[in-house]
Amino acid sequence: MDDDGTRGVRGSSADRVPGPALPPPPTTPPRVPPPATGPGPAAPHPAPPAEYGQARPAGGAAPRPVEHHRARPVEPGPARPASSPPVEQPPPGAPVDAWLRTPRPPQEPGVWRFGYTPPPPEASERVSDRSLLVGAVISLLSALLLWSLWRNGYLPYRLVPLKLFTPGEWWNPGTSGGPRTIEGSDALTVYEAMLFGLLAYGCGRIGNFSELFRRHVADRGQPFLALAAAAAAGLTQLLVWKEALPVVRPVLVLVASVAGGEIYQSQTVVNVIYALIAAAVLWPFARLGRWRELLAARRGSGTPAPDGDAAPATTTSADQWPELRAAGWTDAADTLTAEVRTGRMNDVDVARLRHAWTLATRRPDRLAPLAEAVLRTGGAAALHPSGHRDLPRRTARHDVLTGQVRIGRCATDPHNPYVRRGTGLALDPALLGTSLLAVGPPGAGKSARLVRPVVEALALRALAGQAAVLAVGGAGAPLGPDEAFDVVVRVGHPGSAHDIDLYGGTTDPDEAAAVLAEGLVGDVGSLDSRRAATVLAQLLGPYHAAHGHFPSVPELRELLDGTPAALAGLRARLEAAGHHAMLRELDARSRQAGGPGDPAPALADRVALLDRPAFAGFFATGPDARPFSLRALGQHPLRVRVDLPERGHAEASRLLTRLLLAQFTAITAARTDTTLFACLVLDDATHAVTAETVRGIRRLRSVNAGAVLALRTVDDVPEALHTPLLGAVGCTAAFSGITTWDGKRFAEAWGKEWVETREVAQHTVFADQPFTRALHALRKLVTGKAVTTDAVTVRQVERERWSASELAYAVPAGHAVIRLATVGGEHAPPLLVHLDG
């Protein structure tokens, strides 16, 4: 490759933010989002980068600056090619204001909160509709029979309780004697009404009429509920006024006994009493039919609102930006409200401006510039450094306001708790902050149904200024299009605009040596990585002191091989500069070279994997080389993708993956500002996990960072690290098709739970009586089976949540068993999830 003396100039230094990767020139004019409402520059981004680097196009042309302003109105310029898919704004077809007002109640970890509705209470033993109906009919017929026997005098001693509490002169002699006076007749009327009420109440309870009404009437909703209640009310009124039901006469008797019989001389009073009786009969049916709610809905909107519609907006609803109004910035809130209502803002704009306002409240001097920018540019204020307001395409459902991405739906399976069955499962930074390990064979859907949605969600949060993402995978891995990233590093590709900094952007030789040793020989169990780091530090320190930068790959290989010319040249420069301390380091390396257990030859062999013609021009150092450094991830909301040459250089790709993981854990642990969530996504973490990186993964949750590791099998990790790795990550996913060996490790990591078991034992019944033995013999002759009785034993036992065999054979295709935990310590049991990606 002809470099014209600019070898390795592909990226940006650690203190610069690279511009977006250069896409191929479009054949048609680029598509541009609609312009902002007002002209002029926007306010600075709440966390702005200082400056932006340069990216060198392929072919050795001179570098050209890629300039971005911290926040600017969207105007024609470098944008996505016209051939890219149109921007989608989930939820599809719904306006942003309705999306913004949709409730998101707090739920357990992993529950898709957008528009969540809790399931109905679980019925312990649900009676079938047929049994319920038969029981109600039998109860009703029994009550009618009992009431008929009562009214016709077939029940003996029916008047004895009444005679015990009333004067004897009211009744004829004998236990069956009827009333003798008018007072006795009135008492009998009230007595029968009371007994009828008790009989009706008992019939309703025994026949379970309330459950029958709930299933077949109330659950159908309005207006069927109101019509059914009205029909029942009309039938009841007819029976009441026909005196088939003892209601009117007992009420008249009670009123006369209290107020006197003269009260009925007034027709008006009689009409009022009749009206009160009719109203009292109608009142229970009005409550059951919810007539008041139906009338209120009809009066308020003309038609009843369908279930699930968002409530009308108020001055304090989310789409009215109450936080800006509370701070006194009413004009800015009105501007954003108009932007939302007219559709000029998407969900990313809402999340970005809310985050920008939150950051600005911590620095009062930024409130006025941000409000002014909102007045001028509306939803285009505080833009991401790339100028993008959305991804070119989304493949999953996202709720940018909460940072959730829906990856599937919990299956209706006995392993899943009842409250989680049928609910959506989502991931968010609170879960990814504990890191996630996904294991499944090729074709199980790890990349398309888990890794890709997670990368999309993090990229959306990066556009909102809340996250930084580094996605690493093989060339062609489904991690997203180039236009969805700010930096695309194609290792070994001549047209790559950026490089990888092997030393992580540090100037400390010891720190660079420790991270580089993990990347080079961290997977060699027989080699101590600390000794390897010491060897590298003995060479990197003198070289950096002599040249002002670390050695390139060919130079580092020569130093590790102990080439006399390379060591002599380095010694001469150190002597000329007077670096005596570094000369002692170099002398120590010379004395230890070639000794037993010297890690230098192993380091040189690993460095030789990168010193290949395919990588010529990559991993360069020096004053003119500015490769991309992971240190920028901890400072700016970047979207970075690294494509590794897995097909032709598998060992080199694993080395670079291991190096990036070691650099990420070291850099994120050392940063002081942890407001930005940083996440590393490895589409294939085979042979990338070492003992040191496992310890680094444990520390990520305390520095607002996380890692997503995808493996084909747990055996891709050294056996000694199986238990530490599963203990270091808070979220684990076992995809369909894993082996029983992998299933055993997950079963042990997920622990056990107490379950209730039922054991049924059948015992043969031996009869003592001749008649009973004859019946048993006849039954055995007819059925062919002996007469038995069941002995049921119920007990609590401790069992594995998912056994190894169940994980290997009971997980359907397209499913995974996922266990989640948050940074705050909340956790969810392993759930069987249907992945819809």
Side-chain angles (χ1 to χ4, degrees):
M1 183 173 62
D2 186 10
D3 297 331
D4 294 335
T6 61
R7 175 181 178 184
V9 184
R10 277 195 183 84
S12 66
S13 59
D15 58 346
R16 296 172 181 264
V17 178
L22 300 176
T27 57
T28 57
R31 301 176 59 179
V32 182
T37 55
H45 192 273
E51 52 185 340
Y52 302 95
Q54 298 176 348
R56 183 175 70 95
R64 61 170 181 168
V66 181
E67 299 183 358
H68 301 282
H69 296 285
R70 297 170 184 173
R72 57 180 175 81
V74 179
E75 56 188 8
R80 296 185 300 270
S83 59
S84 60
V87 174
E88 300 177 1
Q89 298 182 6
V96 179
D97 56 347
W99 167 83
L100 195 56
R101 294 197 307 268
T102 302
R104 297 165 175 86
Q107 293 297 323
E108 297 178 0
V111 176
W112 175 251
R113 294 169 50 191
F114 182 80
Y116 173 80
T117 54
E122 181 181 11
S124 56
E125 293 184 2
R126 180 182 175 91
V127 182
S128 64
D129 292 342
R130 179 179 178 180
S131 301
L132 197 64
L133 183 61
V134 170
V137 171
I138 293 176
S139 175
L140 179 61
L141 294 177
S142 301
L144 291 176
L145 176 62
L146 187 62
W147 181 246
S148 177
L149 295 176
W150 168 270
R151 294 295 300 268
N152 292 293
Y154 289 105
L155 297 180
Y157 309 108
R158 62 190 186 97
L159 299 180
V160 171
L162 179 61
K163 292 181 178 180
L164 293 176
F165 296 97
T166 53
E169 59 269 15
W170 290 4
W171 309 98
N172 292 319
T175 57
S176 301
R180 178 190 299 177
T181 62
I182 297 178
E183 290 82 359
S185 299
D186 294 342
L188 180 59
T189 301
V190 176
Y191 179 60
E192 288 182 346
M194 295 174 59
L195 290 179
F196 180 82
L198 293 176
L199 182 62
Y201 176 78
C203 174
R205 291 298 300 270
I206 296 175
N208 207 357
F209 279 86
S210 60
E211 178 66 15
L212 189 66
F213 174 81
R214 185 189 64 80
R215 288 191 193 180
H216 299 283
V217 180
D219 287 351
R220 295 191 178 186
Q222 300 287 14
F224 181 82
L225 176 61
L227 293 177
L235 178 61
T236 305
Q237 288 280 8
L238 178 63
L239 296 177
V240 165
W241 296 112
K242 290 291 185 181
E243 296 190 0
L245 300 180
V247 176
V248 178
R249 289 179 60 84
V251 171
L252 296 177
V253 168
L254 289 176
V255 171
S257 62
V258 173
E262 296 81 4
I263 193 174
Y264 295 120
Q265 296 178 0
S266 173
Q267 185 63 34
T268 303
V269 173
V270 174
N271 293 338
V272 170
I273 293 175
Y274 284 165
L276 292 176
I277 293 174
V281 173
L282 286 177
W283 181 76
F285 296 98
R287 289 288 304 273
L288 290 175
R290 301 175 184 173
W291 295 352
R292 183 177 181 182
E293 298 177 9
L294 182 61
L295 292 176
R298 293 280 184 179
R299 193 175 303 157
S301 59
T303 57
D307 294 340
D309 279 6
T314 63
T315 55
T316 57
S317 60
D319 64 324
Q320 295 283 336
W321 301 86
E323 60 272 13
L324 272 70
R325 299 183 187 275
W329 300 98
T330 307
D331 295 340
D334 292 338
T335 300
L336 293 180
T337 301
E339 292 275 299
V340 170
R341 295 290 177 84
T342 56
R344 291 194 294 267
M345 287 180 64
N346 59 13
D347 53 350
V348 178
D349 295 330
V350 173
R352 186 187 68 251
L353 289 174
R354 281 195 167 194
H355 180 68
W357 182 263
T358 301
L359 295 180
T361 53
R362 303 173 186 173
R363 297 279 301 276
D365 57 316
R366 293 184 178 179
L367 289 176
L370 179 60
E372 183 181 356
V374 169
L375 293 176
R376 287 200 303 263
T377 61
L383 275 180
H384 185 264
S386 65
H388 296 165
R389 299 171 65 175
D390 203 347
L391 298 179
R393 182 173 179 269
R394 301 186 188 183
T395 60
R397 291 187 61 186
H398 300 271
D399 185 18
V400 188
L401 206 60
T402 58
Q404 287 190 316
V405 53
R406 180 186 170 111
I407 63 172
R409 174 181 51 82
C410 295
T412 305
D413 187 86
H415 287 90
N416 293 344
Y418 172 78
V419 295
R420 300 301 297 267
R421 298 174 188 173
T423 61
L425 189 83
L427 298 176
D428 55 49
L431 297 170
L432 298 177
T434 63
S435 298
L436 185 148
L437 176 66
V439 179
K446 300 188 301 298
S447 299
R449 300 184 180 184
L450 180 64
V451 174
R452 174 73 180 269
V454 168
V455 173
E456 280 185 6
L458 294 172
L460 290 173
R461 288 189 70 82
L463 291 178
Q466 304 176 42
V469 56
L470 172 63
V472 182
L479 299 178
D482 295 351
E483 296 82 6
F485 296 92
D486 303 315
V487 176
V488 177
V489 181
R490 297 183 177 89
V491 180
H493 193 283
S496 179
H498 301 280
D499 270 351
I500 293 179
D501 188 353
L502 295 180
Y503 304 100
T506 183
T507 57
D508 185 0
D510 294 328
E511 181 181 351
V515 175
L516 186 58
E518 280 297 319
L520 292 177
V521 295
D523 61 329
V524 181
S526 60
L527 188 61
D528 188 359
S529 60
R530 290 174 295 182
R531 292 193 60 187
T534 301
V535 171
L536 288 172
Q538 291 172 345
L539 296 175
L540 296 181
Y543 190 94
H544 189 275
H547 298 275
H549 59 83
F550 292 120
S552 62
V553 169
E555 293 168 336
L556 179 59
R557 180 182 180 184
E558 291 179 354
L559 293 175
L560 290 172
D561 284 334
T563 305
L567 294 176
L570 179 58
R571 184 181 300 276
R573 293 186 66 113
L574 291 174
E575 291 176 349
H579 294 291
H580 301 290
M582 293 303 170
L583 282 172
R584 289 195 299 270
E585 287 284 295
L586 193 59
D587 291 338
R589 171 85 288 269
S590 300
R591 289 193 303 269
Q592 297 171 4
D598 183 17
L603 291 169
D605 291 341
R606 289 299 179 89
V607 172
L609 296 174
L610 304 179
D611 190 18
R612 304 296 300 164
F615 303 134
F618 284 82
F619 317 120
T621 58
D624 297 330
R626 296 162 59 189
F628 170 73
S629 171
L630 266 65
R631 201 167 294 274
L633 286 175
Q635 304 169 4
H636 310 288
L638 291 177
R639 302 166 295 165
V640 183
R641 194 189 78 203
V642 178
D643 294 342
L644 301 175
E646 289 185 345
R647 293 184 178 179
H649 304 273
E651 286 299 327
S653 299
R654 293 172 181 176
L655 187 152
L656 292 174
T657 303
R658 193 163 51 249
L659 178 63
L660 291 173
L661 177 58
Q663 287 185 359
F664 180 82
T665 56
I667 290 172
T668 53
R671 61 177 181 163
T672 56
D673 185 8
T674 59
T675 56
L676 196 69
F677 178 74
C679 188
L680 169 67
V681 181
L682 298 182
D683 185 55
D684 185 6
T686 303
H687 300 296
V689 179
T690 65
E692 185 60 32
T693 53
V694 169
R695 286 189 287 267
I697 290 173
R698 284 199 186 98
R699 296 191 295 265
L700 291 180
R701 67 179 65 190
S702 63
V703 293
N704 196 23
V708 178
L709 311 177
L711 294 172
R712 295 182 177 89
T713 174
V714 181
D715 290 332
D716 289 339
V717 177
E719 185 176 359
L721 298 179
H722 290 173
T723 301
L725 177 61
L726 290 172
V729 297
C731 304
T732 49
F735 284 72
S736 61
I738 65 172
T739 63
T740 53
W741 292 274
D742 288 342
K744 180 181 179 181
R745 297 182 180 95
F746 280 108
E748 293 175 351
W750 292 338
K752 300 180 179 180
E753 64 178 345
W754 289 98
V755 296
E756 184 180 276
T757 61
R758 296 170 60 91
E759 297 180 357
V760 181
Q762 292 185 341
H763 302 283
T764 303
V765 178
F766 298 96
D768 296 331
Q769 301 298 325
F771 181 72
T772 308
R773 285 200 298 269
L775 289 178
H776 287 183
L778 178 61
R779 179 176 175 180
K780 183 177 181 180
L781 181 63
V782 173
T783 62
K785 297 180 181 180
V787 179
T788 59
T789 182
D790 294 340
V792 181
T793 302
V794 180
R795 59 179 180 176
Q796 296 283 336
V797 297
E798 192 176 21
R799 288 184 178 176
E800 294 175 333
R801 299 178 184 272
W802 282 83
S803 67
S805 298
E806 289 175 329
L807 290 174
Y809 302 110
V811 179
H815 290 66
V817 181
I818 302 177
R819 187 255 184 188
L820 301 174
T822 65
V823 178
E826 298 181 77
H827 59 85
L831 302 171
L832 179 63
V833 181
H834 175 250
L835 301 170
D836 50 26

